[in-house]
Amino acid sequence: MNETAKQPAPTTSPIEERFAAIGEFHPLAAEAMRVIDGLMDSGSPAVMGWSSGKDSSVLVSLVLTVAVARRKAGLPVPPMLVVHTDTGVESPAVRLLADGELAKMADFARANDLPLQIRVGKPSLYTSWPVRVIGGRALPSFPTGAADCSKDWKVDTGNRLMDEVFADLRKDRTAAQPVVMTGVRLDESATREANIRARGESASEIWTNAKGRLGLSPIIHWSADDVFEYLGYASAGMIETYSDFSETLQFYRDAGGSSCAVVGDMRMTEAAAKQKSGCGARSGCWTCVRVGKDQSAEAMIEADPDRYGFMRPLNLLRNFISNTQYDWDSRNYLGRTIDADGNVAVGADVYSPTMLDRLLRYTLTAQVREQAAARQLGIPPRFTIMGFRELVAIDAQWSMYGIHKPFHALKIFFEVMDGKLSDPPITGPMPRTPVPKYGKVHVGRAWEDDRRTGDPKRDRMLSGGIRSHAHEMFHESCGFETKQLSSGEFTTAWDTEDSFDVDEEGAADFVVLMGEEYIDRYHNDETDRTQAMSTYLSMGIVAPAHASIGRWHAIAQRTQWMQRQGLVGEVQRERLLEILEDQRSHGMGQSVPASAQVALFDEGELVQLDDGTEYAYEEEDEGDRAPAPMG
């Protein structure tokens, strides 16, 4: 009788053995890894959105753990990309954590021969906090206004970065489509759950978003306890991944004011939910004034001054800005719009030149103090708010709008660097009071006539705008020709970029080598206030967006005309009220502001300020260069 042939025992692949071992202590992690492994089998690149928080950190860990297991098993690993947004104004503790974890990812990928790319996106120079607020373009995003900061710095930057990533990945149309993965979870909030379900997100099946891009949400059904449990196992070395997450867990403990990361996270979540006017971030930007108090930052500073005390100057500056929301003496009172009858509103508008001067001094002082402290400790500065690029952008913007004398921002910089430090005063919040509105003063439409006459006796300084006849005359050597605008006027064809930009190296060289000379020569009341802008253009340091030369020319012309009328700089409220009263006595001034207005300084759309007033601002395309350090 023949013996029955023995069948070979079923074998388990090494990679499945690894997943099964992890499943013994974290079944959800093993399940997610199997789904990610199947995705990698298809050859689809994995695009991971990472914020530095616990959820997105678990997501990246899952993907990299699977990638290592596949590499050890001799299986192919498709391209992987980590996509991260640096707003430039995160809490320094968050930024230090993020940079450290990104470095760990890169080291882990190199050590294990993984095809990992890390892409970091930054807001455009034009929308960055220093240029947006200190440059005088807009007020901070106060609780009573729109959260433009979140859109500009996070949403728009993230979307632009993702578009760039997909453009690169889809160059080869025959390759497998990339799949975007995030660490979203259903139990984060009712709103988040509704949005996730509306998009049809799934932890095990590929889904498609509104742009037609593929998505996967591996931890969508995890609870916060599941997330912290995973981080704990990774910290204990039971999961082979890029980090032990000790700094991540430390952050949650400190920011939540607890000795336990889980409790700290719960406290941060509860605090964020109570802040109805905030953006929902549990560890927000140090500049955020949509909340009355930065609870996470203050909890960290109070709990561990030695570790987090360096953030105190930033918190003081944030508190000063928040507390002075209703300080009407810090506002400019000459409106930024002119109606069809030549009237300009008199009422509290954007920050006054004096307030902008103070904000720049306070900001540079905080930065200089940190640089000195870092040198003493023998470490790199733990935060950098602005570089020469942002400084010159602010100076150019102040010049173009006639906010200050030419090169005033540079003058402040040198004073601070010479030791004239200024810290924001510690004050309580000012009570909310009605927005002061007084009516309109008549300025006429002379600027419209003047810029079209061609009569030197009338045009004088005004006719220049940003045009330089000298550069056009020597265009063969200088490279600047004449450009005709849609209005029929001519200006100099300055170099342009895809978006408003400042050359980083050129800005540094100008400030350090020529800044003080130009301050001595032009920082006076007699000089055309647009001189700084013209200088930067002529040296190729500042470049407008391709479609913005006409707007810049018109803005400069109007500023020059306003300077002739004595309506630039710190126009005091009392003087404007005298003019308004005098005009009313002659039947000219308006006591009730007109509703229909057209832009005096810009041709952009009208946007709402926190106090309900409207002003026009110029929309630029975006760029994403990193700030340059100073000092």
Side-chain angles (χ1 to χ4, degrees), residues 121-426:
K122 297 175 182 289
S124 69
L125 178 65
Y126 186 70
T127 61
S128 65
W129 183 80
V131 179
R132 181 180 188 271
V133 175
I134 302 179
R137 182 172 73 82
L139 292 171
S141 295
F142 288 121
T144 49
D148 295 333
C149 54
S150 180
K151 180 180 182 298
D152 290 343
W153 302 336
K154 295 181 180 179
V155 178
D156 289 349
T157 301
N159 288 340
R160 185 181 69 247
L161 179 60
M162 195 64 76
D163 289 342
E164 292 172 358
V165 166
F166 266 75
D168 290 342
L169 290 175
R170 297 299 290 147
K171 286 179 180 178
D172 181 0
R173 292 293 177 179
T174 64
Q177 289 193 51
V179 176
V180 178
M181 289 185 278
T182 64
V184 297
R185 295 185 296 106
L186 286 169
D187 78 342
E188 290 183 83
S189 69
T191 301
R192 178 66 60 88
E193 179 180 358
N195 291 336
I196 291 173
R197 294 193 185 281
R199 290 191 293 265
E201 296 192 33
S202 171
S204 57
E205 301 290 337
I206 301 296
W207 54 277
T208 305
N209 69 9
K211 288 188 174 182
R213 293 172 180 169
L214 304 183
L216 183 67
S217 309
I219 65 170
I220 190 174
H221 298 298
W222 289 30
S223 68
D225 287 343
D226 295 327
V227 169
F228 278 111
E229 186 180 17
Y230 180 94
L231 295 177
Y233 287 128
S235 182
M238 298 172 68
I239 299 173
E240 184 178 5
T241 188
Y242 69 91
S243 175
D244 64 4
F245 300 110
S246 57
E247 288 85 358
T248 302
L249 295 171
Q250 178 74 41
F251 171 79
Y252 279 96
R253 286 192 290 268
D254 295 341
S258 171
S259 60
C260 173
V262 179
V263 174
D265 178 56
M266 291 173 59
R267 290 179 178 176
M268 293 166 67
T269 303
E270 291 169 358
K274 292 177 182 178
Q275 295 170 347
K276 298 179 181 179
S277 59
C279 64
R282 283 166 285 181
S283 55
C285 305
W286 71 262
T287 58
C288 182
V289 290
R290 294 189 64 75
V291 294
K293 182 179 181 181
D294 188 341
Q295 295 187 2
S296 64
E298 294 188 14
M300 296 167 82
I301 294 170
E302 182 178 350
D304 194 345
D306 291 337
R307 184 183 180 96
Y308 300 112
F310 75 95
M311 300 194 307
R312 193 180 302 277
L314 299 183
N315 186 245
L316 291 175
L317 177 54
R318 189 220 77 89
N319 290 344
F320 169 76
I321 294 172
S322 178
N323 292 338
T324 55
Q325 177 181 357
Y326 299 108
D327 177 11
W328 304 121
D329 289 336
S330 68
R331 301 293 188 89
N332 190 39
Y333 276 79
L334 183 66
R336 290 196 171 197
T337 56
I338 184 169
D339 65 21
D341 299 318
N343 300 313
V344 177
V346 177
D349 196 38
V350 292
Y351 280 143
S352 69
T354 297
M355 182 64 164
L356 297 176
D357 178 300
R358 295 175 70 184
L359 289 178
L360 181 56
R361 291 181 189 276
Y362 298 156
T363 301
L364 290 174
T365 294
Q367 185 161 300
V368 166
R369 290 196 188 283
E370 170 57 20
Q371 290 169 345
R375 282 195 297 270
Q376 193 170 25
L377 294 170
I379 62 174
R382 290 156 290 190
F383 63 81
T384 299
I385 308 170
M386 67 170 67
F388 288 113
R389 185 167 174 251
E390 286 77 14
L391 179 68
V392 167
I394 290 169
D395 197 52
Q397 200 156 279
W398 283 2
S399 173
M400 184 161 65
Y401 291 101
I403 294 173
H404 282 293
K405 300 171 187 176
F407 306 107
H408 188 69
L410 273 55
K411 184 174 185 293
I412 293 172
F413 166 74
F414 284 116
E415 289 174 353
V416 173
M417 295 304 294
D418 286 342
K420 189 178 180 181
L421 305 182
S422 302
D423 297 303
I426 300 176

